[in-house]
Amino acid sequence: MHIDHDQVHLGGGPARNGALAGGGGGAAASGGGGAAEAPRWQSPPGRPAAGAPTGRALRVGVGGPVGSGKTALVAALCRALAGRVRLAVVTNDIYTTEDADFLRAAGVLDPARIRAVETGCCPHTAIRDDITANLDAVEDLEAELGRLDIILVESGGDNLTATFSYGLIDRQIFVIDVAGGDKVPRKGGPGVASSDLLVVNKTDLAPMVGADLAVMARDAAAMRGGQAGRPVLFTDLRSEGGAAAVADWVLAQLPAPVSPV
């Protein structure tokens, strides 16, 4: 596997924003063992379309465990993209509208462009098993706001098994973080293995929790089968421009360049 050594430091130091882990998916060894085999997990329901939709907004799901930084990433993407594309957001919480309220209070988008879904159940249910409430929210935004380029759909905090149905979204981002240690990528699961983009967040915490970012990069690539089409990005969203590489990836999923808004 190739690692950009200008961006990921093998000594366990912090990675610069947007460090990529890709290339050949060899076994990764660290601590209690590595990912010696290809992932066993099935892909999320459905398959991503070969190309992005042309008649409606690109729908990008953002999922991951509780506290990994999903809402922070959505906020950072809004700041990076709001002046470049026609953007809206749907958030999911179980019993509150807290994530939507946070985004509105942060002023990252016009409040009319942010919708909240209260799932009332396990977060994965509303993004994978019964996507009706999220589809309604997406379609209401498109009906009220007119032509949109991108709609970000943020899942409620779940676990490593959380994935979106491709009946709801076109591309999915899965967010993990370094706070749980560098073993997290090799624990695998469909979110780590099958998402279109894996984001390893909070790289600034790596020295404090003893996480080796090079090990995380290697294990993540192995779990994802070393597929160049399924990249891994390392982020520190507390730094200025910390989501720039993720924003670039999202823009690259659009079917054609969009006019400035």
Side-chain angles (χ1 to χ4, degrees):
M1 188 199 88
H2 169 72
I3 297 177
D4 185 340
H5 296 283
D6 290 331
Q7 296 180 314
V8 179
H9 300 288
L10 295 176
R16 297 178 187 173
N17 296 326
L20 275 167
S30 172
E37 299 178 355
R40 300 184 302 275
W41 306 282
Q42 295 182 353
S43 295
R47 296 283 181 177
T54 56
R56 60 165 174 80
L58 177 75
R59 301 169 185 172
V60 179
V62 180
V66 175
S68 57
K70 297 181 300 299
T71 307
L73 177 61
V74 169
L77 288 174
C78 288
R79 294 187 184 99
L81 298 174
R84 303 161 71 182
V85 297
R86 294 164 291 194
L87 182 67
V89 173
V90 174
T91 67
N92 281 243
D93 280 298
I94 298 176
Y95 296 119
T96 70
T97 60
E98 183 166 340
D99 289 344
D101 295 340
F102 171 82
L103 294 174
R104 294 186 187 110
V108 296
L109 277 183
D110 181 339
R113 293 180 174 269
I114 302 170
R115 282 298 153 84
V117 170
E118 294 184 51
T119 65
C121 57
C122 292
H124 63 263
T125 302
I127 63 167
R128 185 178 66 212
D129 304 327
D130 181 0
I131 60 176
T132 307
N134 275 290
L135 279 178
D136 286 346
V138 166
E139 291 171 0
D140 286 348
L141 282 167
E142 291 179 311
E144 294 173 17
L145 299 174
R147 181 73 166 92
L148 294 169
D149 298 307
I150 298 170
I151 299 179
L152 302 176
V153 181
E154 180 194 349
S155 171
D158 211 312
N159 54 42
L160 295 176
T161 68
T163 53
F164 287 81
S165 166
Y166 281 111
L168 171 61
I169 54 86
D170 304 297
R171 301 288 185 270
Q172 53 188 306
I173 300 170
F174 195 76
V175 186
I176 60 176
D177 69 275
V178 307
D182 53 28
K183 65 182 181 294
V184 175
R186 68 175 173 269
K187 285 180 175 289
V192 170
S194 302
S195 59
D196 299 295
L197 173 67
L198 178 64
V199 172
V200 182
N201 190 28
K202 304 182 184 179
T203 56
D204 55 311
L205 297 182
M208 288 170 266
V209 299
D212 188 325
L213 296 179
V215 167
M216 297 185 82
R218 188 171 64 239
D219 288 354
M223 282 295 166
R224 294 167 72 76
Q227 298 182 58
R230 287 182 174 167
V232 181
L233 292 174
F234 285 71
T235 59
D236 168 12
L237 298 177
R238 292 170 61 88
S239 66
E240 185 175 356
V246 182
D248 288 344
W249 180 87
V250 172
L251 288 175
Q253 308 310 304
L254 291 169
V258 294
S259 301
V261 296

